[in-house]
Amino acid sequence: MTDDTGIGSPEWVELLGREMRKRWSAVADRTEQMAGHALLAPGKMLRPVLLLTSAEATGGDSAQLLPAALAVEYLHVATLVHDDIIDDDRLRRGRPTVHAEYGMADALVTGDFLILNMVTSLSECAAVPRSAVLEAARVLAGAGSDVCRGQVREAEMAGDLSCPVSDYLEMAALKTGALFRGACRAGAVLAGATGEHADAVTRYAEHLGVGFQIFDDLLPYLGDSTGKPATSDVANLRPTHPVLVGREVADDQGRKRFAEALSGRFPAEESHALMRDLLVATGALERSRRRAAEEIAAARDSLDGLPGAAAVEQMRGIADLAIDRSR
Amino acid sequence: MTDDTGIGSPEWVELLGREMRKRWSAVADRTEQMAGHALLAPGKMLRPVLLLTSAEATGGDSAQLLPAALAVEYLHVATLVHDDIIDDDRLRRGRPTVHAEYGMADALVTGDFLILNMVTSLSECAAVPRSAVLEAARVLAGAGSDVCRGQVREAEMAGDLSCPVSDYLEMAALKTGALFRGACRAGAVLAGATGEHADAVTRYAEHLGVGFQIFDDLLPYLGDSTGKPATSDVANLRPTHPVLVGREVADDQGRKRFAEALSGRFPAEESHALMRDLLVATGALERSRRRAAEEIAAARDSLDGLPGAAAVEQMRGIADLAIDRSR
């Protein structure tokens, strides 16, 4: 692997994509067909790449860990399939979602099937000691449980502008950070890393997760058109990082306007435009951007002293790209 | 444990219920609260009991396996929570379903959380070799995947009266049999059983699963009021075992009436009454009942020669009760 990689990590992504196609192109039944539909959409394979690079960064060999890397993608894609049911989203990565293509009932079962395949795939890491594989399974299951907690927490927060920024960061660490953390820690565990080295990639992942989520929150206000619809967050009454930061520094009059923008009483386009104006006026966009950059810097620093220099550089590249997705 | 047990297995059930309450009464957040809502409904704990008795029947000790027994219940209850979303069922075991109480989105996440807790709980079997715990996780994940395949297959079969009985039995082995098989085999694996002994409890579970499902199909026509609404199967256009068996032996005129009864064109009560008449006239009820009894006899016989005599008797009692749930 060269170090000319990042979120794109083209060589890893190609390797993982090839392995994914090998396993999910020729399918045995409709259940596998639906799983394949979800898995074979062109994605960035960010979490599998983090698992493999973490194994190498902590001094291990990633060659035997492809099934584990796929396992973390199964878990991630399961959450996407189920999210799409909840939000009734019809398109993802330019293709119909599983539930748009096959209906709600089958999509729900497909997500369950993918979660269970996480365990099956992990257990295929034959060259790794059984105790390490079991520990990796425990780590990934714990990460998945935390994603669930984060999703429930986020739903509870909907429309709540009085939510402290610290609560928001806790939620983001669960909803988004947990799978990054699970992927990195599982990679280290499977590579036989020392506790200290495993902790280092875990810290990296935690900072990366929060930075990634804050930048995600900024995207709708940066004129970026690659992600979800720009109006999605206000339409779902989500008090995102910049919104909470802006509301915190606003005066009484400003707070009233924040409440209006997140009230759901106006068309989404209108609410979104009002919110953008408020975020610019309060300097919230700049504050959130600075916070995201701080998290990414902390993620980079967490990797100091790890033995796998090339993988460390890749992981730092991934961190940089997390807050500059135009590259 | 005395051998005065069966599906009810009062002492095991009490032990498992106590452990379940200990873990899920004092909860940390809304996610655990919802999981507890689903888990603490009074159930028969059939699958956890099968795991524990299989461990003892194959000569092992079940004392250290409570977390594994809970794990299989987590997986089972997860499928129930998700089934209730799919069928929009509002009541289960006399209480509101998770999705009736907390809404669809949170119920979906709760099911995922329960599947992931299967892995977490399994890994708590500290006294068991890690390789056996990992193998049990693989077995249970494979069983769960098979349940998914069975659910998808069943949905594909809806309204299809030309489905061969053998296809139906294959579907039942996946949808219902797989978790029995997973529970029994995981128990044996965790107990360190020989391959031969593990295979014996696996065969038991496979026969039990098919017998259990066929008897479940008969219940709506036996005047039993303890299970689902009697009209549920015809309302959902399910070609169940007696229906397929009856249709197979019917003449052309009879087949037309079977098609009418499963067409969804008439009120469910009416279709159900017509179907019952057809099943009586074709002798299908008696044929299905006989097949269920044969499966139960085969389940009993599968346990011949296992070392744990008391547990074997318990498992035979469970099999008997599977086709006589009035007791």
Side-chain angles (χ1 to χ4, degrees):
Chain A
M1 300 292 145
T2 72
D3 60 7
D4 177 26
T5 50
I7 282 199
S9 305
E11 295 174 38
W12 288 113
V13 173
E14 201 191 306
L15 179 71
L16 287 159
R18 203 159 50 231
E19 192 66 21
M20 202 64 105
R21 280 192 300 279
K22 204 170 83 188
R23 287 169 186 245
W24 295 98
S25 292
V27 292
D29 58 20
R30 180 178 164 90
T31 312
E32 291 189 6
Q33 184 189 10
M34 295 189 289
H37 177 90
L39 291 169
L40 297 180
K44 286 172 295 196
M45 297 277 189
L46 179 52
R47 291 151 195 85
V49 169
L50 285 176
L51 186 145
L52 296 172
T53 49
S54 290
E56 296 204 344
T58 54
D61 181 6
S62 69
Q64 309 297 324
L65 302 186
L66 272 186
L70 296 186
V72 68
E73 187 71 0
Y74 296 163
L75 177 56
H76 173 57
V77 171
T79 67
L80 300 183
V81 170
H82 282 175
D83 273 358
D84 289 338
I85 294 174
I86 292 172
D87 299 338
D88 195 19
D89 283 334
R90 318 293 297 177
L91 280 176
R92 178 175 290 275
R93 296 174 180 173
R95 315 169 66 203
T97 54
V98 177
H99 99 112
E101 185 82 11
Y102 299 94
M104 187 275 271
D106 275 350
L108 206 165
V109 173
T110 300
D112 294 352
F113 182 73
L114 286 168
I115 298 176
L116 292 158
N117 269 265
M118 170 191 87
V119 180
T120 310
S121 193
L122 262 175
S123 71
E124 287 168 18
C125 289
V128 178
R130 301 292 82 189
S131 57
V133 177
L134 182 65
E135 175 61 11
R138 197 186 66 80
V139 163
L140 284 181
S145 297
D146 280 348
V147 173
C148 294
R149 291 180 203 277
Q151 289 173 314
V152 170
R153 192 85 60 96
E154 185 182 41
E156 282 182 294
M157 286 180 181
D160 179 12
L161 274 169
S162 68
C163 163
V165 175
S166 58
D167 282 13
Y168 169 88
L169 291 172
E170 221 173 81
M171 182 279 292
L174 293 168
K175 190 189 75 154
T176 309
L179 260 195
F180 290 162
R181 172 169 50 77
C184 289
R185 191 164 188 92
V189 164
L190 290 164
T194 65
E196 195 188 333
H197 289 166
D199 289 346
V201 293
T202 303
R203 277 196 306 278
Y204 161 87
E206 285 167 351
H207 289 299
L208 175 65
V210 174
F212 187 94
Q213 182 58 52
I214 293 176
F215 192 74
D216 223 51
D217 291 349
L218 285 169
L219 281 177
Y221 306 104
L222 300 182
D224 181 287
S225 62
T226 54
K228 60 196 171 186
T231 55
S232 163
D233 283 341
V234 286
N236 288 300
L237 311 187
R238 291 209 177 100
T240 60
H241 190 264
V243 170
L244 293 173
V245 163
R247 194 246 177 206
E248 213 170 51
V249 299
D251 57 18
D252 281 356
Q253 188 56 30
R255 290 192 173 192
K256 275 188 197 145
R257 298 187 68 210
F258 268 103
E260 268 172 35
L262 213 71
S263 67
R265 282 186 282 125
F266 308 103
E269 288 291 348
E270 200 177 309
S271 296
H272 177 69
L274 170 57
M275 188 62 90
R276 190 181 48 225
D277 292 347
L278 287 166
L279 297 181
V280 171
T282 52
L285 291 185
E286 194 41 43
R287 281 165 194 261
S288 284
R289 196 203 294 264
R290 204 154 55 225
R291 176 62 191 258
E294 282 164 12
E295 294 290 341
I296 295 309
R300 293 181 59 96
D301 291 350
S302 305
L303 303 176
D304 284 351
L306 288 181
V312 163
E313 276 321 297
Q314 289 184 333
M315 292 173 76
R316 288 182 171 150
I318 290 172
D320 290 340
L321 286 176
I323 55 168
D324 181 5
R325 298 187 205 166
S326 57
R327 268 192 270 173
Chain B
M1 300 292 145
T2 73
D3 60 7
D4 177 25
T5 50
I7 282 199
S9 303
E11 295 174 36
W12 288 113
V13 172
E14 202 192 305
L15 180 71
L16 287 159
R18 204 160 47 230
E19 193 66 23
M20 203 63 107
R21 280 191 301 279
K22 204 171 86 189
R23 288 170 187 243
W24 296 98
S25 292
V27 293
D29 58 20
R30 180 177 165 91
T31 311
E32 292 190 5
Q33 184 189 8
M34 295 188 290
H37 178 90
L39 291 169
L40 297 182
K44 286 172 295 197
M45 297 278 188
L46 180 52
R47 292 151 195 84
V49 169
L50 286 175
L51 186 146
L52 296 172
T53 50
S54 290
E56 296 204 344
T58 55
D61 180 5
S62 68
Q64 310 296 323
L65 302 186
L66 272 185
L70 297 186
V72 68
E73 186 72 0
Y74 296 163
L75 177 55
H76 173 57
V77 171
T79 67
L80 300 183
V81 170
H82 283 175
D83 274 357
D84 288 338
I85 294 174
I86 292 172
D87 300 336
D88 195 18
D89 283 333
R90 319 293 295 177
L91 279 175
R92 180 175 287 276
R93 297 175 178 172
R95 314 169 66 202
T97 55
V98 177
H99 99 111
E101 184 82 13
Y102 298 96
M104 188 275 271
D106 275 350
L108 206 165
V109 173
T110 300
D112 294 352
F113 182 73
L114 286 168
I115 299 175
L116 292 158
N117 269 265
M118 171 191 86
V119 180
T120 311
S121 193
L122 264 175
S123 71
E124 286 168 18
C125 288
V128 179
R130 302 291 80 191
S131 57
V133 177
L134 182 64
E135 174 61 10
R138 197 187 66 79
V139 163
L140 283 181
S145 298
D146 280 348
V147 172
C148 294
R149 292 180 202 277
Q151 289 173 315
V152 170
R153 193 85 60 95
E154 185 182 41
E156 283 182 293
M157 285 180 182
D160 180 12
L161 273 169
S162 68
C163 163
V165 175
S166 58
D167 282 14
Y168 169 87
L169 291 172
E170 220 173 81
M171 180 280 291
L174 293 168
K175 189 189 76 153
T176 309
L179 260 195
F180 290 162
R181 173 169 50 76
C184 288
R185 192 165 188 91
V189 164
L190 290 166
T194 66
E196 195 189 331
H197 289 166
D199 288 346
V201 292
T202 303
R203 279 195 306 277
Y204 161 88
E206 285 168 351
H207 289 298
L208 176 65
V210 174
F212 187 93
Q213 182 58 52
I214 293 177
F215 192 74
D216 223 51
D217 291 351
L218 284 169
L219 281 178
Y221 306 105
L222 300 181
D224 181 287
S225 61
T226 55
K228 59 196 172 187
T231 55
S232 163
D233 283 341
V234 287
N236 289 300
L237 311 187
R238 291 206 179 103
T240 61
H241 190 264
V243 169
L244 293 173
V245 163
R247 194 246 177 205
E248 214 169 51
V249 300
D251 57 17
D252 281 357
Q253 188 55 30
R255 289 192 174 193
K256 275 187 196 144
R257 298 189 67 210
F258 268 103
E260 266 172 37
L262 213 71
S263 67
R265 281 186 284 125
F266 308 103
E269 288 290 347
E270 200 177 310
S271 297
H272 177 69
L274 171 57
M275 187 61 90
R276 191 181 48 222
D277 292 347
L278 287 165
L279 297 181
V280 172
T282 53
L285 290 185
E286 195 41 42
R287 281 166 194 260
S288 284
R289 195 205 294 263
R290 206 155 52 227
R291 176 63 189 259
E294 284 165 11
E295 295 290 342
I296 295 309
R300 294 182 59 97
D301 291 350
S302 305
L303 303 177
D304 282 351
L306 288 181
V312 163
E313 277 320 297
Q314 290 184 333
M315 291 173 76
R316 287 183 171 149
I318 290 172
D320 291 339
L321 287 175
I323 56 167
D324 181 4
R325 298 188 204 163
S326 57
R327 266 192 275 171

